[in-house]
Amino acid sequence: MSGHAIHSVETIIVDLPLRRVQRFAAIGADATAVVLILVRTDTGLTGVGECCTPSGPWWSGESVESIKLMIDDHIAPHIIGKNVFDVRGIFQTVNRKLFGNAFAKAGVEMALVDLQGKIAGVPAHDLLGGKQRTSMPCSWPLATGDADLEIEEAHSWIEKGMFNLFKLKMGFLPAEDDVERACAIARALEGKASVRADPNESWDEATCKWALPRLADAGIAMIEQPLARWNLAGSARMTRATQAAIMLDESVSSMQDMIEIGKLHAADAVSLKVMKHGGLYASRRIADLALASGVSLYMGTFLECSVGTAASMQLAVTLETLPFGGELSGANLVSEDIATRCARYENFELQLEEGVGLAVEIDDDKVKALRRDRTYSVHPVAAAR
Ligand SMILES: [Mg+2]
């Protein structure tokens, strides 16, 4: 299998409309953008990767524009000619040249893993430790801010048999109104669905002291990252004091973050995301540290389209336990996609697709139609601001 050297790296920004407006604590958007990464070998094979951000740079400081630039100018020149199986060596080199930028690094690594699978003739999950399951319970985001509409939206997914786990995006309303909204939704869906909440670092500890018990009393099963990402001591206090499970997301990117969370038991669970950890193999290392610390795993998302969703699913099926499932629902949130086959959400679970590498294929016509440099001179979200 040796002799497969990296010949070229191409990056393409693609703008994708969303099914409906998606609100986060910091921003609302009706479109998203992804960076498609195509790594080609001197033997004529192509590996695909995807980077995206949750509608802008508010989460990690990276944007699709910065990701494209970093890959083109600061990653690609250092990896041309390298063996696609030498991921550790490649990223030792890249990390000496480029600090941070985990999302950009993850997109390139994803394409390398796709190539490794294609060369070996095996799915990526075989490279990541082997599959423990063929599907994953998958959460759908409720993120418009209107409780009645959100209850209606949840019921329509339950009726379709697609989603019965729901994550409320919070933090864009005043805390009192937001908690009232969450409790109304949890009570309306009681017995039919599991409801979780994610204020994305919006609250201080004083707010958490009254808000978290109210959310737990209303039946909310898990509360994600209520406090700022740096406040691990506060999160440990909330984990001890709250009936519902506390999950950390923004607080855990690096292995060092995970070690600190484990030492303090600052969470009951952590959200794994391929991009924030810098790739699939790096995510597997974080998962192992979490398991060794007695912290449960959850398969998180930045709402990637089908390529990133397929990659995350390849990792998710290798995870030994997923007590809260995951949330790889981005491929259903975009109303246009760039893969030939859409992700399948059936029986309330995302189904693993069989195939080599990431088991996903790019639709060249769709990429041609949606790539930014062909269709827009200004990003449509930026133009609306
Ligand atoms: Mg989150």
Side-chain angles (χ1 to χ4, degrees):
M1 282 175 218
S2 62
H4 293 270
I6 298 168
H7 178 261
S8 69
V9 180
E10 184 184 2
T11 57
I12 303 167
I13 295 180
V14 183
D15 287 303
L16 301 171
L18 298 182
R19 231 177 232 286
R20 58 140 168 79
V21 168
Q22 169 81 7
R23 296 192 71 175
F24 302 92
I27 194 172
D30 61 2
T32 189
V34 305
V35 184
L36 175 65
I37 298 125
L38 302 167
V39 177
R40 298 189 176 88
T41 66
D42 56 3
T43 48
L45 293 170
T46 303
V48 302
E50 179 202 331
C51 290
C52 74
T53 65
S55 299
W58 63 273
W59 202 100
S60 71
E62 292 182 81
S63 68
V64 287
E65 297 83 4
S66 77
I67 288 166
K68 177 172 169 46
L69 179 90
M70 288 298 165
I71 295 174
D72 290 351
D73 289 7
H74 301 287
I75 297 177
H78 304 300
I79 71 171
I80 303 296
K82 297 269 170 75
N83 184 325
V84 301
F85 284 90
D86 186 21
V87 168
R88 290 253 181 173
I90 284 171
F91 284 98
Q92 267 181 47
T93 304
V94 169
N95 287 336
R96 287 168 66 96
K97 310 284 184 189
L98 176 63
F99 175 79
N101 290 277
F103 288 36
K105 289 169 184 169
V108 173
E109 193 252 30
M110 200 184 282
L112 294 178
V113 174
D114 188 36
L115 277 171
Q116 292 176 356
K118 284 171 173 166
I119 292 165
V122 297
H125 59 69
D126 276 353
L127 304 170
L128 293 163
K131 80 179 164 199
Q132 313 297 314
R133 61 177 61 78
T134 57
S135 64
M136 178 187 75
C138 188
S139 160
W140 177 255
L142 297 176
T144 61
D146 181 321
D148 291 339
L149 284 179
E150 288 168 329
I151 292 164
E152 204 180 301
E153 185 179 342
H155 277 127
S156 81
W157 292 122
I158 295 170
E159 277 159 29
K160 289 189 181 98
M162 287 175 74
F163 301 102
N164 62 2
L165 310 178
F166 297 98
K167 191 165 101 176
L168 307 184
K169 298 306 285 185
M170 302 182 74
F172 47 83
L173 299 175
E176 276 281 356
D177 299 345
D178 224 2
V179 169
E180 204 172 300
R181 160 184 166 243
C183 293
I185 292 169
R187 290 198 177 104
L189 297 176
E190 200 182 337
K192 295 175 223 162
S194 170
V195 179
R196 299 88 186 270
D198 183 3
N200 280 112
E201 310 180 88
S202 295
W203 297 340
D204 59 12
E205 227 169 309
T207 306
C208 286
K209 274 186 177 167
W210 62 261
L212 302 195
R214 274 173 59 186
L215 294 173
D217 283 350
I220 292 194
M222 179 176 73
I223 302 158
E224 178 174 340
Q225 197 76 50
L227 291 167
R229 65 187 74 193
W230 53 264
N231 194 355
L232 296 184
S235 188
R237 287 188 281 274
M238 293 304 126
T239 300
R240 281 196 293 275
T242 309
Q243 288 284 329
I246 299 293
M247 184 161 78
L248 287 177
D249 176 8
E250 283 89 333
S251 292
V252 54
S253 291
S254 68
M255 288 201 283
Q256 289 75 16
D257 295 337
M258 190 59 242
I259 289 167
E260 281 306 303
I261 291 166
K263 276 195 220 159
L264 294 168
H265 200 76
D268 298 297
V270 288
S271 180
L272 298 170
K273 293 182 178 174
V274 174
M275 280 187 294
K276 71 179 180 178
H277 304 311
L280 288 155
Y281 290 119
S283 300
R284 184 62 251 197
R285 291 195 284 273
I286 303 275
D288 288 335
L289 284 173
L291 291 174
S293 312
V295 175
S296 298
L297 305 176
Y298 177 79
M299 192 64 235
T301 183
F302 287 108
L303 299 171
E304 293 92 336
C305 75
S306 284
V307 179
T309 296
S312 299
M313 188 59 178
Q314 290 289 324
L315 172 71
V317 298
T318 73
L319 301 173
E320 288 80 349
T321 60
L322 275 174
F324 301 98
E327 55 178 28
L328 302 177
S329 53
N332 194 56
L333 189 64
V334 291
S335 54
E336 298 263 16
D337 208 334
I338 53 171
T340 53
R341 185 171 58 183
C342 288
R344 281 184 302 126
Y345 303 87
E346 292 168 6
N347 304 319
F348 302 110
E349 302 207 354
L350 173 60
Q351 307 295 319
L352 176 71
E353 299 296 344
E354 292 301 336
V356 295
L358 304 180
V360 69
E361 242 178 84
I362 298 301
D363 183 326
D364 294 330
D365 292 336
K366 285 186 185 163
V367 173
K368 219 179 252 180
L370 296 164
R371 59 187 294 164
R372 181 175 297 183
D373 49 350
R374 293 286 170 84
T375 50
Y376 307 109
S377 56
V378 179
H379 186 300
V381 175
R385 256 178 229 133

